[in-house]
Amino acid sequence: MSKRIFKLLRSLARRIQRIDPASLPNKCCRFGARVVASCSRRLRTALPIPESTALRLQDWERILLRRPRPVRRHVNPRLGRDGFLAALDERKIRYVLLRWFEHLEKWPEGEDMDILIENDGVAQMEDLFVVYDRSIACDLYSVYPQPSSDYEHGAYYPPLVAQQIIDSRISYQSRCFVPDPLHHFRSLVYHAVYHKAEHSGLPWSRAEPRTGGSGDHDYAKIVRELADQNGIDIEPTFLGLHEYLKSQGWAPPTDTLRRLAGDKRKWLLELLPEVKASGDDGELMFFMLREAVLKNDFLKEAKRIIVDAKLDIIDVRHLDPKEVQRAMPVIRGGNWRKGPYPKSGGGPAVAVIAFDYHPKPTSDEHRQHHPYVTNDRVFIKNRVRSELNQRLPRGERTNCIHAADDEIETLENLDAIDSAWKKDVQEAVRQRREAYATTEEVVRRLESSETRSKVEVIRWGDGLAVKKTFKANRERYLEREIFAYTELAAKCKYVPRLIDSGDNYCTLPYFENKLAKLNKEERHRVLRNYGREIVDVMRAAYECGRTLVNFYDGNVIVTPDDEIVFIDFEFMQCYEKTPAHFSQCYDVAGLPDDFAGDLPRGMRPPGMTYANTWQAITQTELDAFLG
């Protein structure tokens, strides 16, 4: 009975393997693969199948479910260890046997071989492994991460470090290639500290000799011996070895260390820099656009999406070949493959550096999967991916953007590309933070879109004032505000007078607003009595050669004494040619279709006019106020 089921299963497996799931318009093929794989698992559990058959079934499950080969392989027993290593040499595959090679003559029972290999050699050696015999275990790791040679979803060593280890290789007893003595020492220290951590058996430090438990090797003793052989004076403790690797440029970058730490390696968690919660001083952000963005002419749209998220783009840098070479092994852990998408987004191409003046706290959903992200705007990358992929055929979709989790990773990424550029960016951020800081006592922050500025109630003498501080490169909006509270205020008594201003701020008197606590219908009922005042502001702007553009009930304050005050003139702009009559001004007749000035997000000509904005509130046509 089991033979008949087995034959049927094999037949189904072969048929499904011939079909490419990506070519189907639905998920039927993938569903069928899962059914077959599930059957094989049940078969292995329920029936007395020989071990060799069970291993073959496991391999079929991996193929059907499109899982990559695991890191752990098993060498063909017909080759043996020496035959396997000789085959690598014959095929001119660049590799090193990382450790325990001194026991090659008599390999320890249960000890696997750890092989580090250049990426193009992985495919050349797959036929040397089998699934029906597990007597010779081999863990295979590549310089750059790939699904079949990953460690904790990334590279085993940082790619630059891994390449150094392979480039330094020497022949050992004419039987295999191994790291030279110095790289052997450093690679073993890296393994003990970052792969084993508290399970290495190392003491934490001399001052605090705690250990997390005994390791599978006496790493403290082995490290001491190798250090002596290389003439290196070192403290064989977890912290001492970590500091040594840092001094040699071998410590993993923060994103890699976070990946290795996960939530289980407590000692690695203690090495991580403290996560700084995004606060009032803003956050520096890093987006790496991959080659797919340039290939699909999507750079302009990607920048627009980032700006729409209220981020201030500090710099956009197209990486030259040398910068790509420096960035590729460091940023994103060296992982530039396709991930869950049909196509790879390619390597790093354009770095976008942005500053978020008002970081948004991370949502619970995002925090669960991304514990080191403190600013939810990091996930604007999802919108960039989505909008590009909507333009592409299903089989061409790609991961086109990478974002650093926080400012710590951002600075490391900048340093990897160009340390001088990093300093320039840090200075630009310092200036922004310094200019945007409020020196006066802040009573409270008023609700606003925070797209161009922040609005705060501050202490001013014995009373209160409202200070509006603008972001960098928003000077034109400030200039319009200052003009309104000086020139326009001179023509219209309902516009407040400026009491202070600077390069990036203006300060106005504070007014209590009784409209703030009313709903829309109640606000309109109050404003119904102020139709003439509304028209007077529009006329005063016209007489100043200006159009208000964004003039609606949100620009109005009514004090407890029933005095009306008009505020927020960021979009008030000059006419190229002032209309001959007030009735032809843009605030009455509407914006022309070819208006080239600034518009609020989402506004299109004719924009806000008296007829479509104020008439329903005042319930009076404009002619009634014009006599």
Side-chain angles (χ1 to χ4, degrees):
M1 179 66 181
S2 61
K3 274 190 174 182
R4 292 181 62 185
I5 296 175
F6 175 75
K7 285 182 178 179
L8 176 62
L9 177 64
R10 182 173 58 187
S11 174
L12 286 171
R14 285 175 176 170
R15 287 172 182 271
I16 293 176
Q17 279 179 248
R18 296 192 191 108
I19 303 173
D20 178 12
S23 68
L24 297 178
N26 54 48
K27 299 179 180 178
C28 66
C29 177
R30 198 164 295 158
F31 174 74
R34 288 196 175 95
V35 170
V36 174
S38 175
C39 288
S40 77
R41 285 195 295 269
R42 291 170 183 266
L43 187 66
R44 286 189 288 109
T45 303
L47 299 175
I49 296 175
E51 184 179 359
S52 60
T53 301
L55 288 171
R56 283 197 294 271
L57 286 173
Q58 284 182 318
D59 205 41
W60 286 339
E61 289 169 25
R62 175 183 61 76
I63 294 169
L64 289 169
L65 297 178
R66 306 181 69 164
R67 292 174 182 153
R69 269 190 181 274
V71 168
R72 172 63 55 88
R73 269 86 154 175
H74 298 90
V75 176
N76 190 329
R78 294 179 182 178
L79 291 172
R81 283 189 174 81
D82 283 336
F84 169 71
L85 296 170
L88 299 185
D89 291 340
E90 289 171 7
R91 300 179 184 193
K92 295 182 170 38
I93 295 173
R94 283 171 55 83
Y95 77 96
V96 291
L97 179 59
L98 285 166
R99 46 189 167 267
W100 320 134
F101 45 81
E102 61 271 18
H103 304 300
L104 194 57
E105 194 69 42
K106 189 177 180 181
W107 198 264
E109 184 71 26
E111 188 72 64
D112 59 276
M113 293 190 296
D114 294 300
I115 303 284
L116 180 65
I117 184 173
E118 290 188 338
N119 285 59
D120 57 3
V122 175
Q124 298 180 51
M125 58 191 297
E126 291 293 1
D127 62 316
L128 304 178
F129 302 113
V130 297
V131 297
Y132 57 81
D133 188 295
R134 299 191 175 193
S135 57
I136 306 177
C138 173
D139 286 349
L140 191 65
Y141 303 106
S142 54
V143 172
Y144 280 87
Q146 58 185 48
S148 61
S149 54
D150 273 357
Y151 179 77
E152 302 287 352
H153 308 291
Y156 192 59
Y157 291 102
L160 288 176
V161 167
Q163 194 62 57
Q164 286 182 41
I165 296 171
I166 292 178
D167 290 342
S168 75
R169 69 183 188 152
I170 58 175
S171 178
Y172 179 75
Q173 297 180 356
S174 299
R175 299 173 71 181
C176 65
F177 283 98
V178 301
D180 69 15
L182 179 59
H183 288 83
H184 176 216
F185 167 69
R186 290 179 179 173
S187 64
L188 187 74
V189 169
Y190 188 103
H191 175 62
V193 173
Y194 303 119
H195 297 154
K196 296 295 184 179
E198 59 263 37
H199 303 296
S200 65
L202 292 167
W204 171 262
S205 66
R206 282 180 179 169
E208 189 181 347
R210 60 180 162 119
T211 60
S214 60
D216 51 359
H217 295 276
D218 189 349
Y219 286 101
K221 178 183 176 182
I222 298 169
V223 165
R224 276 195 299 268
E225 291 173 352
L226 292 177
D228 291 341
Q229 293 172 19
N230 285 277
I232 298 172
D233 182 20
I234 197 167
E235 178 186 311
T237 65
F238 180 82
L239 284 185
L241 296 177
H242 169 63
E243 291 301 323
Y244 168 75
L245 291 175
K246 279 180 64 177
S247 70
Q248 303 303 311
W250 271 51
T254 298
D255 60 346
T256 300
L257 192 58
R258 286 169 170 173
R259 171 177 56 80
L260 292 173
D263 57 359
K264 296 178 181 178
R265 292 187 175 96
K266 295 180 181 178
W267 282 16
L268 294 187
L269 290 170
E270 292 187 49
L271 295 181
L272 292 174
E274 182 181 355
V275 176
K276 174 179 164 290
S278 300
D280 289 339
D281 61 345
E283 182 171 3
L284 179 63
M285 304 180 73
F286 177 95
F287 300 94
M288 179 61 78
L289 305 179
R290 300 171 67 173
E291 292 167 351
V293 170
L294 298 182
K295 179 183 175 183
N296 292 285
D297 194 25
F298 196 68
L299 178 58
K300 183 177 179 181
E301 286 300 299
K303 289 160 58 178
R304 176 191 60 77
I305 293 168
I306 292 171
V307 170
D308 283 351
K310 303 179 183 179
L311 303 183
D312 178 22
I313 293 181
I314 294 177
D315 200 2
V316 177
R317 184 165 181 142
H318 291 253
L319 304 189
D320 63 35
K322 289 184 178 179
E323 290 168 341
V324 170
Q325 194 173 9
R326 289 196 295 267
M328 206 157 182
V330 178
I331 298 171
R332 212 171 183 267
N335 181 1
W336 300 96
R337 58 184 188 244
K338 66 179 184 178
Y341 295 86
K343 296 286 187 179
S344 168
V350 180
V352 179
I353 313 303
F355 185 68
D356 188 357
Y357 284 87
H358 302 285
K360 182 181 178 183
T362 314
S363 67
D364 292 339
E365 179 185 359
H366 283 151
R367 193 179 304 113
Q368 183 179 357
H369 300 288
H370 305 274
Y372 298 105
V373 176
T374 56
N375 182 2
D376 216 50
R377 290 198 177 95
V378 165
F379 300 103
I380 194 64
K381 62 184 180 182
N382 295 336
R383 185 178 164 198
V384 174
R385 290 173 190 154
S386 176
E387 292 205 13
L388 173 58
N389 284 334
Q390 285 175 10
R391 300 181 175 195
L392 300 176
R394 189 178 296 273
E396 296 293 320
R397 292 179 179 177
T398 179
N399 179 359
C400 63
I401 183 173
H402 164 71
D405 279 0
D406 60 3
E407 192 161 325
I408 296 170
E409 291 186 14
T410 292
L411 293 174
E412 288 186 0
N413 292 345
L414 289 171
D415 200 40
I417 297 171
D418 184 347
S419 57
W421 184 38
K422 171 188 170 183
K423 291 179 181 178
D424 292 341
V425 170
Q426 284 180 299
E427 176 60 22
V429 171
R430 185 197 64 77
Q431 292 176 5
R432 280 166 169 76
R433 283 177 166 147
E434 187 176 284
Y436 206 60
T438 305
T439 55
E440 298 86 357
E441 179 187 347
V442 178
V443 177
R444 68 178 183 275
R445 181 173 289 179
L446 296 178
E447 185 178 346
S448 69
S449 67
E450 297 179 338
T451 303
R452 294 165 294 278
S453 63
K454 64 178 179 179
V455 185
E456 298 165 311
V457 178
I458 61 172
R459 295 287 179 194
W460 189 264
D462 296 332
L464 301 175
V466 174
K467 184 174 184 179
K468 198 168 188 178
T469 309
F470 286 79
K471 300 176 181 180
N473 304 314
R474 306 297 196 279
E475 291 80 5
R476 65 186 185 278
Y477 297 101
L478 171 62
E479 290 169 1
R480 295 164 187 165
E481 292 272 72
I482 291 175
F483 180 90
Y485 301 130
T486 53
E487 302 299 320
L488 185 62
K491 288 183 171 290
C492 181
K493 63 180 180 179
Y494 309 117
V495 178
R497 291 277 188 170
L498 187 72
I499 58 177
D500 189 27
S501 65
D503 291 339
N504 70 327
Y505 72 90
C506 61
T507 306
L508 305 170
Y510 172 76
F511 299 96
E512 193 73 38
N513 187 10
K514 73 177 187 179
L515 298 178
K517 297 179 181 179
L518 305 180
N519 60 36
K520 181 178 179 179
E521 185 179 339
E522 291 169 336
R523 286 200 309 273
H524 289 183
R525 191 179 300 122
V526 172
L527 291 175
R528 195 172 299 158
N529 302 315
Y530 296 95
R532 185 166 297 281
E533 289 83 350
I534 291 166
V535 174
D536 285 350
V537 174
M538 296 167 66
R539 188 190 294 275
Y542 165 74
E543 291 173 356
C544 290
R546 302 290 199 276
T547 175
L548 298 171
V549 178
N550 188 35
F551 187 47
Y552 69 112
D553 59 322
N555 302 110
V556 179
I557 292 173
V558 176
T559 70
D561 296 330
D562 294 328
E563 294 181 2
I564 191 167
V565 178
F566 295 94
I567 57 171
D568 289 340
F569 296 93
E570 293 179 9
F571 287 93
M572 185 173 67
Q573 294 161 71
C574 294
Y575 289 105
E576 288 188 10
K577 183 179 180 181
T578 304
H581 189 269
F582 174 57
S583 62
Q584 300 171 336
C585 75
Y586 296 169
D587 301 312
V588 175
L591 296 168
D593 292 338
D594 60 350
F595 182 75
D598 291 321
L599 291 175
R601 186 180 304 171
M603 181 183 285
R604 298 288 182 272
M608 294 176 177
T609 66
Y610 184 87
N612 65 28
T613 302
W614 292 106
Q615 188 167 301
I617 296 174
T618 62
Q619 296 186 358
T620 308
E621 294 186 9
L622 182 65
D623 293 344
F625 300 111
L626 299 180

